[in-house]
Amino acid sequence: AQSVAQPEDQVNVAEGNPLTVKCTYSVSGNPYLFWYVQYPNRGLQFLLKYITGDNLVKGSYGFEAEFNKSQTSFHLKKPSALVSDSALYFCAVRENSGNTPLVFGKGTRLSVIA
Amino acid sequence: DTAVSQTPKYLVTQMGNDKSIKCEQNLGHDTMYWYKQDSKKFLKIMFSYNNKELIINETVPNRFSPKSPDKAHLNLHINSLELGDSAVYFCASRLTGDTGELFFGEGSRLTVL
């Protein structure tokens, strides 16, 4: 069975500083990995994904994530945080076969302080 | 030109009532999902339909009955509502076989009193 762990409930960072939101995953085959962001009272918005190829993927709003197969991790990063990045971030994984559903982590609340 | 639209956005009702939430996508996708987000923001898959056929049913009580009249629509009917059904329900869709992401609706917040 596939699963995702986001070890931090909350990440606080000062505006302008780099941010990292951690994610580790478990799947039996090769993973498809995703990051989504959720603003208050809104649906989930796609940020970026890893399917294959380059381990560093770049996404929306200046976010990037690094796939590390040996550590089964897919941490989300941004070089310089903005107050507007404050939101709930979800990591998700699914196996690269058939109609397996996307399984989400419990979410990490990012708070960027001015 | 909303990609995945859900109605209603808010629903407040009494225990024991029956209610429905509708979802429509105009992205040409053939797989649709219902996810439940509880008060702690956990997101859990409930159902998945592919071309109107149920393919995933994640041990959801049979008070919940999804229906897909065509591949662009997936509705959720809930009978005999309970307090624990209070949550935000998200519809999502994607193209089968694609490596692409899920597209989510804005959610339907159900409050059972």
Side-chain angles (χ1 to χ4, degrees), chain B residues 30 43 52 57 89 99 111:
Chain B
D30 57 357
L43 271 164
K52 304 190 295 176
N57 180 342
Y89 293 85
T99 56
T111 302

Side-chain angles (χ1 to χ4, degrees), chain A residues 2-6 23-26 33 91-93 103-106:
Chain A
Q2 50 204 17
S3 65
V4 175
Q6 292 182 244
C23 171
T24 58
Y25 66 91
S26 173
L33 291 154
C91 182
V93 67
V103 173
F104 286 84
K106 63 181 174 65

Side-chain angles (χ1 to χ4, degrees), chain A residues 20-62:
Chain A
T20 299
V21 183
K22 295 179 181 175
C23 171
T24 58
Y25 66 91
S26 173
V27 295
S28 53
N30 289 321
Y32 290 163
L33 291 154
F34 302 81
W35 275 101
Y36 283 82
V37 61
Q38 186 179 28
Y39 297 99
N41 299 314
R42 301 298 303 276
L44 276 73
Q45 295 178 32
F46 169 74
L47 279 179
L48 50 78
K49 65 184 177 186
Y50 172 82
I51 303 300
T52 186
D54 195 349
N55 288 344
L56 184 65
V57 292
K58 294 186 183 295
S60 308
Y61 312 121

Side-chain angles (χ1 to χ4, degrees), chain B residues 23-57:
Chain B
C23 178
E24 175 182 4
Q25 54 90 8
N26 62 5
L27 297 166
H29 292 165
D30 57 357
T31 302
M32 296 183 72
Y33 304 83
W34 279 112
Y35 279 84
K36 180 180 180 181
Q37 187 174 45
D38 63 21
S39 58
K40 294 184 178 178
K41 305 298 185 185
F42 294 156
L43 271 164
K44 191 166 182 204
I45 179 80
M46 298 175 68
F47 300 103
S48 175
Y49 268 74
N50 175 253
N51 275 321
K52 304 190 295 176
E53 278 192 44
L54 180 66
I55 53 172
I56 293 172
N57 180 342

Side-chain angles (χ1 to χ4, degrees), chain B:
Chain B
D1 61 344
T2 305
V4 182
S5 59
Q6 298 179 225
T7 54
K9 191 171 172 68
Y10 299 98
L11 196 50
V12 180
T13 190
Q14 300 286 332
M15 275 177 51
N17 284 352
D18 304 338
K19 290 295 176 187
S20 292
I21 306 171
K22 295 185 176 181
C23 178
E24 175 182 4
Q25 54 90 8
N26 62 5
L27 297 166
H29 292 165
D30 57 357
T31 302
M32 296 183 72
Y33 304 83
W34 279 112
Y35 279 84
K36 180 180 180 181
Q37 187 174 45
D38 63 21
S39 58
K40 294 184 178 178
K41 305 298 185 185
F42 294 156
L43 271 164
K44 191 166 182 204
I45 179 80
M46 298 175 68
F47 300 103
S48 175
Y49 268 74
N50 175 253
N51 275 321
K52 304 190 295 176
E53 278 192 44
L54 180 66
I55 53 172
I56 293 172
N57 180 342
E58 288 287 324
T59 60
V60 178
N62 58 15
R63 297 183 296 104
F64 290 78
S65 51
K67 279 197 172 55
S68 182
D70 56 61
K71 67 179 186 179
H73 295 83
L74 180 61
N75 304 324
L76 183 65
H77 188 75
I78 315 170
N79 289 327
S80 304
L81 279 157
E82 299 177 358
L83 293 177
D85 298 332
S86 295
V88 182
Y89 293 85
F90 285 100
C91 178
S93 71
R94 72 175 182 97
L95 201 57
T96 305
D98 192 1
T99 56
E101 65 275 21
L102 289 186
F103 288 75
F104 280 83
E106 289 290 291
S108 296
R109 181 178 295 275
L110 171 65
T111 302
V112 182
L113 303 174

